[in-house]
Amino acid sequence: MSAPTPETAVTAAPAGSSVESMDSAAARASLEALRAEIAKAVVGQDPAVTGLVVALLCRGHVLLEGVPGVAKTLLVRALAASLDLDSKRVQFTPDLMPSDVTGSLVYDARTAEFSFQPGPVFTNLLLADEINRTPPKTQSSLLEAMEEHQVTIDGEPRELPDPFLVAATQNPVEYEGTYPLPEAQLDRFLLKLTVPLPRREDEIDVLTRHAGGFDPRDLKAAGVRPVAGPADLEAARAAVARTSVSPEIAAYVVDICRATRESPSLSLGASPRGATALLSTARAWAWLTGRDYVTPDDVKALALPTLRHRLQLRPEAEMEGVTTDSVITAALAHVPVPR
């Protein structure tokens, strides 16, 4: 597929200056270094690492799903250690209150006034560990933060720092004592990344590292260091915004999402927000791979993680073993690919 011209592109930037090109190349190199730095601590989870980088570029949030022991938490901690950004971790439990996340007004007896004590959400990278273990009231405390990048306390909105990313983890096989995220909150996540069990050779590598003294609680000792910061992210986001999208690609994204709405296996298909998210992630992936335009392969590469959590299966389809991934795969096979 040839690159679209500015006249035919939905979002096409004018020819950038050499300075812009240099900034873009430097930012891409920094994010490539970020992926390599995370690999010092996490083995065999390259798709999840890439998904986290894409979410950073798109100002989105990520839901990481996998069985216990596949390095979900370590992955986010390694990302935080590789970025020159502030990060905090919250262990979500049944007794966690919304104010434990957002912060609250505290009475100061010395001044006889209330002062605001910010919660852990006031950070650049928030690890929400086992988010489905806390009740809906506390889960919902993140809704405004994720969507509006602000928190309202006592009627006063308070801006969150930029960049801001929520990386939440959950266990897909344990249901006792958990509170499944409602559709409205799932839709706030840009990507849902599945973290699978490692391949045999990757698992051997993990054990070899541990036998050699690797301690997942001490990432500094593993050599993980900050290799990218806010300036790199800002330059990268500006470069992604200049990545062009042809009308054919925009129509392709819409047709994929509309195909999910027509699936007899679903009671809820992808919304226009899902289509917008898919276009954003495809642009970020196109830029990461060194192009300034989006191809159908970019859309296909991000369709599953961008849409899988936005679809709702009918009970009868779920009983028959149908999954949202299989519905999206069928839609990709059915919708004509633009040439």
Side-chain angles (χ1 to χ4, degrees), residues 112-136:
E113 294 180 349
F114 286 92
S115 61
F116 176 66
Q117 297 296 321
V121 75
F122 286 86
T123 187
N124 296 120
L125 176 58
L126 177 67
L127 169 56
D129 217 354
E130 296 186 289
I131 191 173
N132 58 334
R133 284 198 172 279
T134 200

Side-chain angles (χ1 to χ4, degrees), residues 15-330:
S17 67
S18 59
V19 174
E20 287 178 340
S21 299
M22 290 172 62
D23 289 345
S24 177
R28 187 183 293 112
S30 296
L31 294 182
E32 286 295 333
L34 175 68
R35 295 163 69 184
E37 204 70 15
I38 295 173
K40 293 180 180 179
V42 181
V43 179
Q45 300 294 358
D46 292 340
V49 173
T50 300
L52 285 167
V53 174
V54 167
L56 280 170
L57 293 175
C58 298
R59 304 178 188 271
H61 309 284
V62 175
L63 181 63
L64 293 166
E65 186 175 88
V67 298
V70 292
K72 299 186 298 296
T73 302
L74 178 61
L75 176 61
V76 180
R77 288 181 55 239
L79 173 67
S82 304
L83 285 167
D84 188 16
L85 298 173
D86 183 47
S87 65
K88 289 184 175 66
R89 177 179 182 270
V90 178
Q91 183 67 47
F92 279 67
T93 57
D95 60 347
L96 194 73
M97 299 297 292
S99 59
D100 296 329
V101 178
T102 61
S104 60
L105 294 175
V106 177
Y107 182 73
D108 188 342
R110 292 174 301 178
T111 61
E113 294 180 349
F114 286 92
S115 61
F116 176 66
Q117 297 296 321
V121 75
F122 286 86
T123 187
N124 296 120
L125 176 58
L126 177 67
L127 169 56
D129 217 354
E130 296 186 289
I131 191 173
N132 58 334
R133 284 198 172 279
T134 200
K137 179 172 70 172
T138 305
Q139 290 176 3
S140 65
S141 66
L142 284 175
L143 286 177
E144 182 185 12
M146 293 170 66
E147 186 67 18
E148 307 294 337
H149 284 207
Q150 69 176 26
V151 171
T152 302
I153 305 293
D154 196 31
E156 181 181 345
R158 302 175 190 271
E159 293 291 327
L160 294 173
D162 183 51
F164 173 68
L165 179 141
V166 174
T169 70
Q170 68 176 12
N171 177 358
V173 296
E174 191 174 1
Y175 297 104
E176 186 175 352
T178 63
Y179 304 85
L181 298 177
E183 285 73 20
Q185 188 165 353
L186 284 172
D187 201 40
R188 295 297 195 278
F189 287 97
L190 179 72
L191 298 171
K192 180 181 178 181
L193 304 174
T194 57
V195 185
L197 290 166
R199 298 175 302 173
R200 181 176 181 271
E201 53 269 31
D202 290 333
E203 197 166 359
I204 292 173
D205 191 3
V206 171
L207 267 62
T208 301
R209 291 188 182 195
H210 279 262
F214 172 73
D215 183 357
R217 293 177 293 274
D218 189 0
L219 294 179
K220 286 185 178 179
V224 180
R225 58 186 178 83
V227 294
D232 300 302
L233 283 177
E234 196 60 37
R237 288 169 173 175
V240 170
R242 295 192 297 269
T243 302
S244 60
V245 181
S246 70
E248 292 78 14
I249 291 296
Y252 182 54
V253 170
V254 168
D255 289 343
I256 291 170
C257 292
R258 292 180 70 86
T260 66
R261 300 171 203 163
E262 298 168 0
S263 171
S265 300
L266 298 180
S267 59
L268 178 67
S271 68
R273 178 188 286 169
T276 302
L278 180 53
L279 187 62
S280 297
T281 57
R283 292 177 82 186
W285 176 242
W287 178 80
L288 276 173
T289 53
R291 280 178 283 101
D292 61 357
Y293 59 93
V294 180
T295 71
D297 286 340
D298 298 324
V299 176
K300 291 180 179 180
L302 274 299
L304 287 176
T306 306
L307 299 179
R308 59 164 58 108
H309 56 296
R310 305 172 193 273
L311 312 182
Q312 186 172 350
L313 289 167
R314 296 186 184 277
E316 56 271 25
E318 197 167 1
M319 292 177 62
E320 294 172 0
V322 178
T323 64
T324 55
D325 280 17
S326 64
V327 172
I328 297 168
T329 302

